[in-house]
């Protein structure tokens, strides 16, 4: 479902309901750019990579946000998906004030999107604006200040002195005896520009505090209001500010709701998505990596990354292989082994009947579907007894071979009137409605609704995402809140715990009894090739080579000698494999 | 005429011809943004304003460029306009290499454009890319380096060692006895990625210098070429580089041609346009204002700004008033006083039959038309004898009242086959062509062409833009190479000479025998309100107040006292009026 700016406010209840009722939320973003050119090292430390992502959130923006909710449908034994596609554009054309936003575009990012037929007109003309919390507060305080006329005084320009004299005279005459004037209810001061209007407001506030000035088109009306009128006016003004503000907060509402739901959010290679979601809509990202982790985890307590799950679970790798692009996961999970659970798009969300790869809403839908299938697969490995017995009459999953589709149609037909499969096109849906419009058929529908027990059940197995004891289920415990991060020495990015380093021949652990001089460490290892130093704390860290050609023992000895000569004491250098073996031993 | 990326190369001859044959070129741009938010002072020095514009050229880009050429049509006694509208987008999708460009967008600028129905899809999908001269040189040197395989060596990854061994073995077997292999002409090495390909090129270059490696789809072919084949190959490669480069240089070609033509370029409030034209397509703007002036003047020796002309020529102000927006100038010059000259759009350029305000091509057309009318008006003031006598049968100018249009149609009809009026729509034109396709009518057309003397002459007067002696004509001499600049103490921005300060009560001239300490001067004047200090050289400058309330004589005395106390010697302070009076006296 595409949500244009013009319909956003009225669609909010539908969005809220989808978030409130779902089991989890899949997300995806399209960005105006990724990195600054020439800024991508082959290998980098976590800190540097985060700094790069943080910088990206300050430069580039999400221009399309995809959200797909997945809701268990108990009666039909399947999941119902609701995919939303939002264009996001920081327009200043809604609300009364908007920050004047400047953002960066990477031409190559637009090139990429144009290959996917991205609609840049929809983006600018229909994109939904947003305010962060801080911007919202500034907005309210500014609007309230304008309301209470609490503005700093401005000087009266020489050119406007005559205008002001005339205006004051006119007001004075009216004040003296309103009934003697043409318009006993008030006096109108014609103004030519914003400066004159501001001068009049200022004058009335200062010299006629018992009167009220109200802007009209081309003039300002000065009146004497009763207390009741004044109260009503204040109330109306506040209501207007609130409404303007809601419109200006715009898309952040959706992010706030996602966060408030405390539900799983699922992405594919999602670290950059999460950075942008927070940086653009919630608050600027903190400078320190540890602060970011805490903030993100507070906002989104359960994150799951389909790319990370696939590239880490050994059992999945043997099924799927090492190609973990979303497109490939979609392809690989489109077979019998990943049949459970059945997933249908809600019939009011027919946008993705045909593939729309790289539209954020579609990618979110695919990501969530893949997640359900991977999770189910992992659960079946732990609990083979839960694998459902093949039911003879079960319709094929939507993704089955085309030859079987015709057979299916008949079966599908029986289930109309319940939440339909997503293979109901707009047109078919309309035809259905027309069909239902005849009285006879209406009765038939009612009959169907009453015979609830006749809803077809696909018999899918649902696995909880959070156990009754509040814990993440065993099948997911190794994956939740860990996401893919490439080109670092680490196997993943962890929102909660420290990351584990990748065990390759070119990775070392180093520690000393006192603070390790980082530059010295960097130089000592430098003799053997390009490498990074990722400190875990002041006294210890990891060293990772891009390619190490020398014998690791030789490297250890040479570096130890050099650091010893430089005065570093209590030094330990070992390969990461040795380090983890030692850690394990200590643990046991 | 809209020129999309896909047709740019084939339209270049048409563009070149229009530039070569015209009298002058009007330009306009649409930008991705104007300024950083909150960066616009009420008053600023010229240096600061230039710095702001220069910064803008580093951030924002021209996304649409309008060019309209105007060519005198001697036979018909009128000007023929050719309006081109180019979308400009730094895509990396044409040519083989493109710099990865990142640019800024100001959301409000896109909001503004969306109010004018700007087509952002055309911009991204059809926008023409560009390289500056420096980028072009880098492009060629990179491409040549790739051609000669002159690349730095890269190490062979452990994982690829087996691949390389196998490849070398295969090549060795072939080298030993090509005829014994399946493919005596060469040997194919299958590759899986760019890294493997680069390794193979490297290996062949290093270990098999007598062989040639050529990339194919999915493999690299290693062959032994004759010298003749090698020469041919090198020639082909060079030709490809040249072609790629021409495509990559893209829109800069048009700017280069405009500059090379040495013709007038005419804009409306054009300083920012000129900054962007140079900064985006020619070279980054120099840091120093004086260097910029020289560079711009070298590139475009004659610039004329319709806004500046209107707001400066007293005689025009009395006709047109003080509203100098392009829209207003178009309206005001649409009357009998500005009837000369007749201007028609060339019949192959029918895009602007209906108004398309704020499309760059249309705005360029209006700007050029206004310029012709203003220039003509100014010439008539100097040379009343040149005012043409009303001819009874003269058709009304295109902009005349609608009631008269029907009458006109008949007259227009007679002139088809010559360069038509711009009120010929696409469709009509096609009908014309169909009509001309019948043999009989073709003959008629030939007859018309032969009867050259029958071309209707509108009797417009043409005034030269450069006199026979190479000088700018008197009517324009005060305006050429001066452009509008607001919110400074200066009346205009001058590409050739120092600017004159605006004479208001709040403007002073200050000089001393030695270097003036600028901060001290700034502070001394600070007691009397907000102001700027614009130094003309180290010893002198102007001080301009936003609003000065005090008596100028009092300011002079107080500041002189303060600077004297601070040790400044040989001080002169006078109002700008006094300063110019003195200058004049000295001159006489």
């Amino acid at each position: 479902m595409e949500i244009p700016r013009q319909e956003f406010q009225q669609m909010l209840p539908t969005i809220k309901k989808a978030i409130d009722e779902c089991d989890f939320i899949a997300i995806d973003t399209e960005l105006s750019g990724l990195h600054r050119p020439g800024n991508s090292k082959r290998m980098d430390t976590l800190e540097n990579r985060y700094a790069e992502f943080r910088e990206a959130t300050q430069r580039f923006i999400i221009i399309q946000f995809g959200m797909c909710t997945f809701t268990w449908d108990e009666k039909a034994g399947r999941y119902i998906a609701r995919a939303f596609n939002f264009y996001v554009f920081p327009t200043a054309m809604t609300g009364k004030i908007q920050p004047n936003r400047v953002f960066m575009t990477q031409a190559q990012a637009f090139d990429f999107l144009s290959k996917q037929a991205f609609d840049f007109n929809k983006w600018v003309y229909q994109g939904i604006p947003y305010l962060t919390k801080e911007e919202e507060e500034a907005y309210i305080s500014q609007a309230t200040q304008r309301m209470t006329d609490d503005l700093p005084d401005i000087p009266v320009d020489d050119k406007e002195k005559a205008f002001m004299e005339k205006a004051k005279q006119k007001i004075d005459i009216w004040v003296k005896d309103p009934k003697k004037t043409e318009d006993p209810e008030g006096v109108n001061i014609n103004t030519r520009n914003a400066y004159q209007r501001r001068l009049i407001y200022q004058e009335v506030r200062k010299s006629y505090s018992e009167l009220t000035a109200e802007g009209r088109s081309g003039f300002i009306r000065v009146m004497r209001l009763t207390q009741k009128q004044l109260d009503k006016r204040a109330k109306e003004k506040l209501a207007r500010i609130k409404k303007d503000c809601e419109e200006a907060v715009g898309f952040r509402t959706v992010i706030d709701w996602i966060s408030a739901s405390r539900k799983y959010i699922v992405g594919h290679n999602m670290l950059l998505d999460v950075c942008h979601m927070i940086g653009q809509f919630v608050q600027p990202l903190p400078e320190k990596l540890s602060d970011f982790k805490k903030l993100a985890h507070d906002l989104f307590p359960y994150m799951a990354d389909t790319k990370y799950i696939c590239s880490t679970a050994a059992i999945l790798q043997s099924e799927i292989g090492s190609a973990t692009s979303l497109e490939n996961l979609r392809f690989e999970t489109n077979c019998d082994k990943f049949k459970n659970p059945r997933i249908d798009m809600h019939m009011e969300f027919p946008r993705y009947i045909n593939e729309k790869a790289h539209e954020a809403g579609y990618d979110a839908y695919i990501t969530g579907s893949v997640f359900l299938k991977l999770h189910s697969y992992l659960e079946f490995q732990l609990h083979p007894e839960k694998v459902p017995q093949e039911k003879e009459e079960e319709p094929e999953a939507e993704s089955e071979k085309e030859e079987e589709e015709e057979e299916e149609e008949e079966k599908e037909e029986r289930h109309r009137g319940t939440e339909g499969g997503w293979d109901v096109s707009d047109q078919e849906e309309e035809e259905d409605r027309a069909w239902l419009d005849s009285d006879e058929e209406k009765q038939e529908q009612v009959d169907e609704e009453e015979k609830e027990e006749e809803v077809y059940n696909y018999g899918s197995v649902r696995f909880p995402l959070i156990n009754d004891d509040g814990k993440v289920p065993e099948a997911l415990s190794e994956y939740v809140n860990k996401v893919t991060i490439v080109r670092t020495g680490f196997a993943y990015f962890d929102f909660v715990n420290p990351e584990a380093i990748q065990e390759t021949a070119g990775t070392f652990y180093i520690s000393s009894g006192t603070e390790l001089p980082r530059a010295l460490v960097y130089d000592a290892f430098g003799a053997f090739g390009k490498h990074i130093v990722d400190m875990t704390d002041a006294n210890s860290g990891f060293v990772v080579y891009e390619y190490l050609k020398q014998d690791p023992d030789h490297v250890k000895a040479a570096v130890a000698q050099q650091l010893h000569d430089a005065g570093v004491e209590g030094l330990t250098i070992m390969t990461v494999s040795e380090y983890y073996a030692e850690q394990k031993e200590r643990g046991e």
Side-chain angles (χ1 to χ4, degrees), chain A:
Chain A
M1 187 178 276
E2 272 199 338
I3 311 283
R5 179 193 307 165
Q6 294 75 3
E7 290 167 24
F8 180 66
Q9 292 299 322
Q10 77 200 59
M11 288 306 294
L12 279 173
T14 307
I15 299 164
K16 180 80 161 67
K17 191 163 177 274
I19 293 172
D20 284 348
E21 293 179 354
C22 74
D23 288 47
F24 72 94
I25 301 156
I27 57 107
D28 184 53
T29 68
E30 298 296 340
L31 301 168
S32 72
L34 293 174
H35 298 293
R36 274 207 290 184
N39 211 19
S40 45
K41 289 185 195 168
R42 205 179 143 74
M43 268 288 215
D44 215 339
T45 64
L46 278 188
E47 289 282 356
N48 284 349
R49 185 59 51 80
Y50 170 66
E52 203 181 300
F53 277 26
R54 176 169 172 263
E55 196 183 284
T57 65
Q58 292 160 350
R59 294 168 179 273
F60 303 112
I61 61 169
I62 292 172
I63 61 174
Q64 194 179 61
F65 186 87
M67 171 178 98
C68 188
T69 64
F70 290 82
T71 310
W72 175 248
D73 175 4
E74 180 68 34
K75 275 183 219 156
R78 63 174 176 177
Y79 282 92
I80 293 292
R82 286 174 178 83
F84 297 87
N85 192 56
F86 304 91
Y87 288 89
V88 176
F89 182 77
T91 179
M93 286 167 79
T94 55
K96 288 238 168 117
I97 282 188
Q98 276 284 55
N100 181 13
R101 284 189 211 271
V102 171
F103 59 88
M104 279 194 171
T105 294
Q106 189 180 17
Q108 282 187 339
F110 276 20
D111 278 346
F112 168 79
L113 290 169
S114 72
K115 284 183 201 151
Q116 326 298 338
F118 188 91
D119 192 328
F120 295 95
N121 282 334
K122 278 195 182 169
W123 170 50
V124 180
Y125 286 82
Q126 303 184 3
I128 302 157
Y130 51 88
L131 293 182
T132 64
K133 281 187 182 148
E134 201 177 310
E135 288 164 348
E136 180 187 0
E137 280 156 23
Y139 178 97
I140 290 180
S141 108
Q142 253 184 302
T144 317
Q145 195 175 45
R146 268 202 318 281
M147 193 187 104
T148 57
D149 287 340
D150 197 8
L151 286 170
D153 281 356
I154 52 169
V156 181
D157 193 0
D158 282 352
K159 289 181 197 160
E160 303 296 355
K161 287 206 164 127
F163 161 79
M164 286 306 290
E165 274 316 307
K166 238 177 108 184
K168 282 194 272 188
Q169 225 171 1
K170 204 172 170 193
I171 299 172
D172 287 339
I173 290 170
W174 181 82
V175 165
K176 209 172 165 193
D177 195 346
K179 279 171 196 156
K180 272 194 186 161
T181 63
E182 282 175 21
D183 179 1
E185 302 301 315
V187 57
N188 296 342
I189 310 293
N190 292 325
T191 52
R192 279 196 314 275
N193 51 47
Y195 177 61
Q196 287 190 344
R197 279 190 287 281
R198 182 148 171 200
L199 289 179
I200 295 293
Y201 282 123
Q202 179 171 308
E203 189 60 33
V204 171
R205 192 171 65 235
K206 282 165 71 178
S207 313
Y208 306 92
S209 59
E210 77 287 5
L211 302 183
T212 300
E214 216 171 75
R216 304 284 165 89
S217 173
F219 63 92
I220 287 183
R221 185 157 176 83
V222 182
M223 302 162 291
R224 193 185 304 274
L225 299 182
T226 63
Q227 192 54 44
K228 209 174 151 186
Q229 283 173 314
L230 285 171
D231 291 348
K232 187 170 166 256
R233 197 166 167 269
K235 220 172 140 185
E236 282 169 0
K237 272 191 176 181
L238 267 177
R240 215 178 308 133
I241 290 174
K242 208 173 152 243
K243 191 171 167 296
D244 283 351
C245 189
E246 272 168 18
E247 275 179 22
V249 165
F251 190 70
R252 201 196 79 219
T253 310
V254 176
I255 302 296
D256 283 350
W257 284 341
I258 293 175
S259 172
S261 76
R262 316 313 285 158
K263 289 175 183 172
Y264 272 64
I265 66 165
V266 174
H268 184 80
N269 196 10
M270 68 197 289
L271 182 54
L272 192 59
D273 297 289
V274 171
C275 286
H276 275 279
M277 280 168 74
I278 299 173
Q280 185 165 344
F281 303 118
V282 183
Q283 64 175 73
L285 295 191
E287 207 178 319
K288 274 178 68 183
L289 175 56
S290 54
D291 291 342
F292 165 70
K293 284 189 180 185
K294 190 179 173 323
L295 172 64
H297 186 57
D298 286 350
L299 288 166
F300 309 116
Y302 305 98
M303 286 184 257
D305 182 343
T306 47
K307 190 179 185 79
Y308 176 66
I309 296 172
C310 278
S311 54
T312 309
I315 193 88
L316 284 171
Q317 281 194 297
S318 66
E319 291 293 348
I320 289 175
S322 63
T324 55
S325 72
L326 185 59
E327 186 50 36
N328 196 59
L329 296 191
R330 177 179 179 251
F331 178 79
E332 294 289 348
T333 58
N334 191 6
C335 66
D336 257 14
K337 278 181 187 156
F338 292 99
K339 200 170 183 179
N340 190 73
R342 164 94 180 184
I343 303 159
D344 287 323
M345 189 69 83
H346 189 280
M347 71 186 276
E348 284 171 15
F349 292 70
R351 184 165 174 80
Y352 299 121
I353 289 173
N354 295 314
E355 216 180 290
K356 282 211 167 54
H358 298 295
E359 176 160 298
Y362 178 82
D363 279 4
Y365 166 65
I366 297 300
T367 300
S369 300
V370 166
F371 171 71
L372 275 175
K373 287 170 184 298
L374 298 181
H375 177 208
S376 168
Y377 186 88
L378 293 170
E379 292 279 3
F380 286 148
Q381 299 302 314
L382 290 171
H383 310 286
E385 75 285 359
K386 290 194 179 168
V387 176
Q389 296 311 304
E390 199 72 20
K391 290 206 285 178
E392 223 168 287
E393 74 276 38
E394 182 180 0
E396 302 297 326
E398 38 114 353
S399 49
E400 288 300 303
K401 295 168 200 112
E402 283 186 13
E403 302 95 274
E404 294 164 352
E405 275 188 5
E406 282 185 43
E407 269 180 59
E408 212 180 297
E409 257 184 41
E410 205 191 81
K411 291 178 198 159
E412 285 282 343
E413 210 59 48
R414 285 190 283 141
H415 312 303
R416 294 277 161 81
T418 69
E419 278 183 319
W422 77 314
D423 38 2
V424 178
S425 76
D426 255 327
Q427 207 192 340
E428 283 174 83
E429 205 186 313
E430 268 171 44
E431 280 166 15
D432 278 2
R433 278 183 192 149
W435 181 78
L436 291 169
D437 270 352
S438 80
D439 281 356
E440 191 185 2
E441 306 302 0
K442 263 185 195 156
Q443 189 53 47
E444 203 162 305
Q445 187 197 21
V446 171
D447 290 349
E448 271 213 329
E449 275 171 7
E450 282 170 1
K451 287 182 273 173
E452 270 197 4
E453 70 278 13
E454 277 194 30
V455 169
Y456 181 84
N457 192 297
Y458 291 88
S460 297
V461 183
R462 175 205 207 182
F463 294 99
L465 293 168
I466 298 164
N467 289 336
D468 292 340
D469 61 4
K471 285 189 180 154
V472 171
E474 190 188 348
L476 288 176
S477 59
E478 276 180 52
Y479 310 111
V480 168
N481 292 323
K482 293 178 185 170
V483 297
T484 300
I485 188 160
V486 293
R487 296 186 290 114
T488 69
F490 294 94
Y492 52 84
F493 181 96
D494 195 321
F495 283 97
V496 181
N497 299 302
E499 288 82 2
I501 201 95
Q502 272 174 328
E503 291 185 46
T504 70
T507 312
F508 297 85
Y509 173 77
I510 181 166
S511 79
S512 91
T514 55
E515 194 169 329
L516 265 174
R518 189 169 165 159
L520 218 60
V521 170
Y522 188 86
D523 287 346
F525 280 93
F528 305 101
K530 272 195 189 170
H531 66 290
I532 55 166
V533 178
D534 228 319
M535 303 300 286
T536 44
D537 56 40
N539 296 7
S540 59
F542 295 105
V543 176
V544 188
Y545 284 98
E546 286 188 8
Y547 309 101
L548 182 67
K549 290 190 188 68
Q550 278 81 359
D551 177 49
D553 287 332
H554 172 63
V555 174
K556 284 195 293 187
V559 171
Q561 184 64 47
Q562 196 172 334
L563 290 177
H564 179 82
D565 293 350
V568 178
E569 285 174 19
L571 198 71
T572 307
I573 304 183
M574 53 181 105
T575 67
V576 160
S577 304
E578 289 163 351
Y579 171 70
Y580 280 121
E582 201 190 275
Q583 291 279 97
K584 208 174 164 192
E585 223 166 81
R586 278 191 201 169
E588 275 166 6

